[in-house]
Amino acid sequence: MRKLIIVESPTKAKTIAKFLGTKNYTVLSSQGHVRDLPASQMGIDTEHDFAPKYVIPPKARKTIKTLKESAKSASEVILATDEDREGEAIGWHIGQILDLDPATTERIVFHEITKSAIEDALKSPRHIDMHLVEAQQARRIVDRLVGYKLSPFLWKKIYRGLSAGRVQSVALRMIVEREDERRKFVSAEYWKIVAHCAQKGKSELFDAELSAVNGKKLDKLAITTGEAAQQIIDDVQGMAFIVEQVENKETVKNPLPPFTTSTLQQEAFKRLGFSSRQTMMLAQGLYEGKDIGTGGSTGLITYMRTDSLNLSAQSLASAREVIGDRYGKNYLPVTSRHFKSRSKNAQEAHEAIRPTDPHIMPESIKPHLSAQEFKLYNLIWRRFTASQMAQAIFDSSKVTIVVSGKSDAYQFKANGSVLKFDGFLAVWPTKSTDVTLPKLSSHEKLDVHDIEGKQSFTQPPARYSEATLIKVLEEYSIGRPSTYAPIISNITSRGYVGRDDEKKLYPTEIGEKVNMMLVQNFPDVVDYHFTSQMENNLDEIAEGKKEWVNVLSDFYGPFEKNLEEKYKAVKKETTVEETDEICPLCGAQLVIKQSRFGKFYACSKFPECRYTKSIQDVLAVKCPKCETGDIVAKRTKRGKVFYGCSNYPQCDFALWDKPTGEKCPLCGSLLVEKGKKVKCSNKECSYTQG
């Protein structure tokens, strides 16, 4: 009889089956979750130790039937779900459905889907870790309690259709508070004084910036007006600029560590423009396996949900082979480089995200991957390889220049840096340029070709991008590797957060209302440190240090009491705006109301009269297709803004990018705003303005 191995993904099942063959093993997929809390009710018995009521989703019934039939004829069932807590819980749920004993059923884990990793895992199985299961179950229950208790409160106090989530609400708060900072920000003027210098008789210029006056170092806002800047310029005009000190030294730059989930999502957004959700979907495919022309699927990267920076000895040895062969022995450090995880709860048994085999060069498999898959694999391969390469070496110089003006003594500084040896930068280049200073000596007198004041203004804090939001969530220990992408997906799909032309996140009007309601009435639920502490509690459950029921009790008691009080104390928001419009059905006055999808007209006699009409954001642009309708801003069901014809459904013209109203000089199509640029909306036209 053959053994049955159960994994989550069909692709993963095919890849593992290829390695093990069909003689001794059958490999099947659970197609993800096989049990979950019910969708139509809370499903938590808060009176009896938060006992969850699990149900089998309709879409999983056929799969379960197949698994049960295969399990009956198998000599043994081996659970091989993903190695994180969610995977552990899915394995436990499968065992429950198949009536397997968790104390004896074999459970295998692996960080990569390769033949050697699967064979090693089969040699050292363990059992289901109930501490991990309980930690995941506690997370699911506390999220369900918050969602199912707070969402009806929002319906009653604002309007129906709103929802609240434990971690998502904290992320929303971060975005709202950043927007508040931007609104309150008052820009301040400041000036820099820059001297364009050269050695005596030489034409090669270098810049030196004013750094101190009378021995006192200047801060950024030391010079706040053009008049003050000009006074300094007048004071030093015609004075001798003399080199006081020259420091030349060799500096080094170390490579960054390999990727964790959060840093992968951050870098994929910055370098590739991928959303966190898109990055994780692509990484999932690379992990589960791709056909790269070797017959069947090959897992290309290690498990992509991790906060560990650990690297296996085998991967380090392989990396050194590749670096030595491809770049040369001088690109190898003396020993392999090891990194310490910054996350205090990182599981060092896990690994960082890396290629399963560094010898699989990105270029060699490019024909077998989609363009996006290749870009992500290339990013992962280069980051890992660079992490094991030699330091970059720079020749750095710092020059101090003194000037005795008419009224004060001034000090200018010039810094130079020239790349001497690229090291890891050969694989992971950065946007740095050489700044070369001439070979100067102390007491050397310089020629000054010009002195100028450069005006600047302080800028408000930038809106969060997906990358910077994930970074701050990680800094506060809010969420875990598997939750970053869903957090952002949830707050954007609910219409609480939008994206500006630079893909930065901003709160919508309804997002700000929801946040205000939660912050004012449930400060603990959306408190950064409170949420972080809950994550710590879940970690301690996973480590067997805390009981999951006790953690939930400590949270739920005060939460429920406060909720009861707020239902009585908080009044429903009344934001109905009166208009001069008349209802075409009953003749009553129309008022402006708001839903999660924006404002709309409604009859003031609701519910007797249910007339409604959408309020469209009309652009001063005629539809190029029907030539009679106007282009209006609309929202998809997930809250994403697009631009379509007001004559819809008679005219289906639509664009994702905002039209400028101008037409392309090459093809006549509408020009649209694309980030900071203006481009033609016709994908076959390459016109870009400017």
Side-chain angles (χ1 to χ4, degrees):
M1 293 176 70
R2 290 182 294 183
K3 296 180 179 180
L4 172 62
I5 297 178
I6 302 176
V7 298
E8 292 167 74
S9 155
T11 304
K12 190 175 175 182
K14 290 178 183 177
T15 306
I16 294 174
K18 182 193 79 169
F19 296 141
L20 299 179
T22 58
K23 183 178 179 181
N24 297 316
Y25 295 95
T26 298
V27 186
L28 295 179
S29 163
S30 71
Q31 307 274 355
H33 290 269
V34 293
R35 290 200 312 183
D36 201 357
L37 296 172
S40 58
Q41 55 181 286
M42 187 168 72
I44 308 294
D45 188 347
T46 56
E47 301 296 323
H48 297 88
D49 290 341
F50 304 95
K53 175 187 176 182
Y54 290 116
V55 297
I56 297 173
K59 66 177 183 179
R61 290 170 187 166
K62 184 177 179 181
T63 301
I64 289 172
K65 183 180 179 182
T66 302
L67 293 178
K68 284 184 174 180
E69 291 172 352
S70 298
K72 286 179 182 177
S73 59
S75 61
E76 183 183 357
V77 177
I78 302 172
L79 301 173
T81 46
D82 287 345
E83 61 172 325
D84 56 14
R85 293 178 197 168
E86 186 175 15
E88 200 76 14
I90 291 174
W92 177 74
H93 282 296
I94 293 171
Q96 292 288 295
I97 288 173
L98 300 184
D99 198 24
L100 305 176
D101 183 353
T104 58
T105 302
E106 289 190 352
R107 156 64 159 144
I108 62 172
V109 293
F110 37 84
H111 311 306
E112 60 187 60
I113 305 178
T114 58
K115 192 173 191 297
S116 59
I118 303 303
E119 289 175 344
D120 288 344
L122 287 169
K123 292 175 185 175
S124 54
R126 60 171 175 81
H127 302 304
I128 286 289
D129 186 331
M130 287 307 298
H131 293 313
L132 297 180
V133 174
E134 289 167 356
Q136 180 62 25
Q137 181 168 258
R139 176 188 293 279
R140 188 76 180 92
I141 291 174
V142 73
D143 288 348
R144 176 57 68 100
L145 291 172
V146 171
Y148 264 69
K149 291 290 186 177
L150 281 188
S151 296
F153 179 83
L154 294 177
W155 300 352
K156 192 173 182 64
K157 304 305 179 182
I158 304 179
Y159 52 74
R160 289 190 66 84
L162 299 177
S163 59
R166 182 178 63 89
V167 182
Q168 295 91 324
S169 297
V170 179
L172 173 62
R173 180 180 182 178
M174 289 178 171
I175 294 168
V176 171
E177 289 182 345
R178 176 56 58 89
E179 201 69 16
D180 285 341
E181 290 177 46
R182 289 170 57 82
R183 292 190 190 107
K184 296 173 184 175
F185 180 81
V186 179
S187 183
E189 178 183 5
Y190 66 97
W191 289 74
K192 293 179 180 180
I193 309 297
V194 179
H196 305 297
C197 306
Q199 287 181 293
K200 284 289 182 181
K202 301 287 181 68
S203 60
E204 182 184 351
L205 296 177
F206 65 92
D207 290 346
E209 184 178 329
L210 180 66
S211 60
V213 177
N214 292 329
K216 184 179 179 181
K217 186 177 179 180
L218 299 181
D219 61 28
K220 182 178 179 179
L221 299 178
I223 306 171
T224 58
T225 65
E227 291 78 9
Q230 189 60 50
Q231 184 178 340
I232 294 172
I233 293 171
D234 293 342
D235 201 24
V236 300
Q237 202 75 49
M239 296 296 172
F241 277 59
I242 300 171
V243 176
E244 180 183 56
Q245 185 179 20
V246 179
E247 295 179 55
N248 294 312
K249 62 180 180 179
E250 192 176 84
T251 59
V252 298
K253 187 174 184 178
N254 289 311
L256 293 167
F259 285 130
T260 60
T261 302
S262 67
T263 56
L264 174 63
Q265 291 174 353
Q266 292 170 46
E267 206 65 32
F269 179 85
K270 288 189 287 186
R271 294 198 176 215
L272 307 177
F274 292 173
S275 69
S276 54
R277 182 171 179 269
Q278 182 182 16
T279 296
M280 294 310 290
M281 288 176 64
L282 292 168
Q284 181 88 33
L286 295 175
Y287 164 70
E288 291 179 351
K290 293 291 174 180
D291 187 346
I292 57 173
T294 56
S297 295
T298 298
L300 295 175
I301 65 170
T302 52
Y303 193 56
M304 64 286 162
R305 295 187 181 93
T306 178
D307 50 11
S308 172
L309 291 176
N310 193 32
L311 294 168
S312 69
Q314 183 180 352
S315 71
L316 294 174
S318 296
R320 291 181 69 83
E321 288 177 7
V322 170
I323 294 165
D325 292 344
R326 187 166 184 174
Y327 300 98
K329 300 298 182 185
N330 56 328
Y331 281 83
L332 283 170
V334 176
T335 60
S336 295
R337 205 175 261 111
H338 298 269
F339 300 90
K340 186 175 182 179
S341 300
R342 286 175 291 179
S343 171
K344 62 182 179 180
N345 298 309
Q347 301 179 62
E348 289 304 324
H350 295 177
E351 281 199 64
I353 302 170
R354 61 166 177 82
T356 55
D357 183 357
H359 293 90
I360 302 178
M361 308 291 182
E363 299 81 5
S364 68
I365 60 173
K366 187 174 183 179
H368 303 284
L369 303 177
S370 70
Q372 293 177 330
E373 288 169 343
F374 168 75
K375 287 178 181 178
L376 191 64
Y377 179 73
N378 186 47
L379 194 73
I380 293 169
W381 186 92
R382 290 183 179 278
R383 178 69 166 242
F384 167 71
T385 303
S387 76
Q388 297 305 312
M389 294 178 73
Q391 300 168 319
I393 303 174
F394 297 83
D395 283 331
S396 299
S397 52
K398 182 189 294 183
V399 178
T400 304
I401 302 165
V402 292
V403 184
S404 294
K406 296 166 187 164
S407 58
D408 294 294
Y410 300 95
Q411 185 183 82
F412 287 73
K413 282 191 182 291
N415 295 302
S417 180
V418 178
L419 182 64
K420 183 178 181 180
F421 173 65
D422 57 358
F424 75 93
L425 295 176
V427 171
W428 193 260
T430 58
K431 293 181 180 178
S432 60
T433 55
D434 288 350
V435 178
T436 306
L437 297 180
K439 292 184 178 180
L440 300 168
S441 303
S442 296
H443 311 300
E444 182 177 348
K445 191 174 181 180
L446 302 172
D447 285 338
V448 180
H449 288 242
D450 186 29
I451 304 172
E452 66 171 325
K454 294 186 176 181
Q455 184 188 38
S456 298
F457 294 90
T458 56
Q459 298 298 311
R463 284 171 169 165
Y464 289 116
S465 65
E466 287 200 16
T468 54
L469 180 61
I470 289 170
K471 184 177 182 181
V472 75
L473 287 170
E474 186 178 40
E475 287 172 354
Y476 276 99
S477 295
I478 294 172
R480 285 296 179 261
S482 61
T483 66
Y484 299 132
I487 287 170
I488 295 173
S489 179
N490 283 337
I491 58 177
T492 53
S493 65
R494 289 172 179 171
Y496 297 164
V497 170
R499 289 184 173 88
D500 63 19
D501 293 337
E502 297 180 341
K503 295 185 178 180
K504 299 291 182 66
L505 304 171
Y506 67 90
T508 61
E509 184 178 351
I510 186 55
E512 299 213 35
K513 285 185 178 181
V514 168
N515 177 70
M516 184 180 294
M517 183 66 74
L518 295 177
V519 170
Q520 289 179 348
N521 299 291
F522 303 94
D524 281 352
V525 174
V526 290
D527 180 77
Y528 300 168
H529 299 289
F530 181 86
T531 307
S532 175
Q533 184 56 48
M534 178 59 75
E535 294 292 351
N536 290 334
N537 289 339
L538 295 172
D539 289 337
E540 291 189 342
I541 294 171
E543 295 164 9
K545 296 178 181 178
K546 284 190 175 181
E547 293 293 329
W548 69 275
V549 173
N550 294 341
V551 169
L552 293 177
S553 296
D554 291 343
F555 163 77
Y556 188 68
F559 171 73
E560 185 181 37
K561 182 181 178 182
N562 183 49
L563 184 64
E564 290 175 358
E565 293 173 353
K566 294 302 179 182
Y567 262 110
K568 299 173 184 176
V570 179
K571 295 181 180 180
K572 181 177 176 64
E573 277 199 1
T574 54
T575 55
V576 178
E577 303 174 36
E578 295 186 355
T579 74
D580 295 329
E581 300 282 331
I582 301 300
C583 175
L585 297 184
C586 70
Q589 182 187 30
L590 290 183
V591 294
I592 295 176
K593 294 186 177 182
Q594 185 165 353
S595 73
R596 57 177 296 200
F597 299 111
K599 292 184 176 180
F600 63 96
Y601 290 113
C603 183
S604 58
K605 286 192 173 181
F606 179 87
E608 289 82 8
C609 178
R610 294 181 174 270
Y611 174 80
T612 61
K613 178 185 175 183
S614 64
I615 297 177
Q616 297 178 319
D617 181 8
V618 181
L619 281 63
V621 182
K622 281 292 179 185
C623 174
K625 187 172 182 179
C626 69
E627 299 182 344
T628 60
D630 295 311
I631 299 298
V632 297
K634 301 182 178 182
R635 284 185 181 272
T636 66
K637 289 183 178 180
R638 290 184 171 270
K640 187 174 181 180
V641 175
F642 71 100
Y643 303 88
C645 181
S646 60
N647 285 339
Y648 181 84
Q650 287 77 22
C651 178
D652 61 358
F653 179 81
L655 294 168
W656 285 116
D657 302 301
K658 186 177 182 179
T660 65
E662 299 178 6
K663 292 188 176 181
C664 175
L666 299 183
C667 70
S669 301
L670 286 177
L671 295 180
V672 295
E673 298 174 6
K674 196 88 172 175
K676 294 182 179 180
K677 297 181 179 179
V678 174
K679 294 187 174 184
C680 182
S681 59
N682 181 357
K683 293 182 179 179
E684 297 180 359
C685 180
S686 60
Y687 177 77
T688 300
Q689 200 175 79

